[in-house]
Amino acid sequence: MPDEIEVRPGLKVSESDLQWRFSRASGPGGQGVNTTDSRVQLSFDLRLLPEPFRGRARASLSAHSVDDVITVVASERRSQFQNRASATARLVDLLRAATAPPPPKRRRTRPTRSAVERRLAGKRQRAEIKRLRRPNPGQE
């Protein structure tokens, strides 16, 4: 694995900042399922990110983090090596989405005059239909 993982331009995560834990995974694995620690738990402290990215990541991942530490688990593969790669890819995807800059603000627009007239004409037509469905008072 590389020494640094590039999340986005200007943001790299050092391999030494990642905390790995391994345990036995459930599921398929043949004879080795009860003896190999193939389940991978990868933790990363969001406080290690540089400032503009840290605030965005904290706001975006607050529901998924405990004390600003985000944890990703991978256990779908039989080998620890493949689960390590999967967990790293998930963490990078999570951080990439969490540190994305906010979208540009929406410019407020006004509806055109013809759009307003169409909307009001539709409302008048609907009201007329409902008025015609009402029984006439005084009949029967």
Side-chain angles (χ1 to χ4, degrees), residues 110-124:
R110 293 182 62 179
T112 61
R113 179 181 292 168
S114 60
V116 171
E117 288 172 1
R118 276 194 309 271
R119 181 178 64 85
L120 294 177
K123 288 177 73 141
R124 277 192 297 272

Side-chain angles (χ1 to χ4, degrees), residues 34-55:
N34 294 324
T35 58
T36 57
D37 291 341
S38 60
R39 180 178 181 264
V40 174
Q41 191 172 359
L42 174 59
S43 298
F44 177 71
D45 193 343
L46 297 176
R47 292 174 285 214
L48 299 173
L49 292 173
E51 182 40 52
F53 300 113
R54 184 183 319 137

Side-chain angles (χ1 to χ4, degrees), residues 5-129:
I5 303 165
E6 184 166 4
V7 175
R8 61 176 49 256
L11 177 59
K12 292 183 181 181
V13 172
S14 175
E15 184 75 29
S16 62
D17 294 338
L18 303 177
Q19 293 177 331
W20 299 91
R21 288 184 61 204
F22 306 101
S23 61
R24 293 192 182 121
S26 63
Q31 293 174 336
V33 73
N34 294 324
T35 58
T36 57
D37 291 341
S38 60
R39 180 178 181 264
V40 174
Q41 191 172 359
L42 174 59
S43 298
F44 177 71
D45 193 343
L46 297 176
R47 292 174 285 214
L48 299 173
L49 292 173
E51 182 40 52
F53 300 113
R54 184 183 319 137
R56 290 183 206 154
R58 274 182 169 166
S60 177
L61 298 172
S62 63
H64 302 287
S65 65
V66 177
D67 295 331
D68 286 339
V69 175
I70 191 80
T71 303
V72 176
V73 177
S75 63
E76 63 273 356
R77 305 282 180 183
R78 290 185 181 194
S79 78
Q80 186 185 99
F81 180 79
Q82 289 175 326
N83 283 333
R84 283 177 67 115
S86 178
T88 304
R90 281 189 207 161
L91 181 70
V92 167
D93 289 343
L94 207 65
L95 288 176
R96 188 172 290 142
T99 58
K105 291 202 174 190
R106 179 185 175 276
R107 290 180 56 192
R108 294 186 61 168
T109 58
R110 293 182 62 179
T112 61
R113 179 181 292 168
S114 60
V116 171
E117 288 172 1
R118 276 194 309 271
R119 181 178 64 85
L120 294 177
K123 288 177 73 141
R124 277 192 297 272
Q125 183 180 5
R126 188 75 185 148
E128 181 65 16
I129 289 170

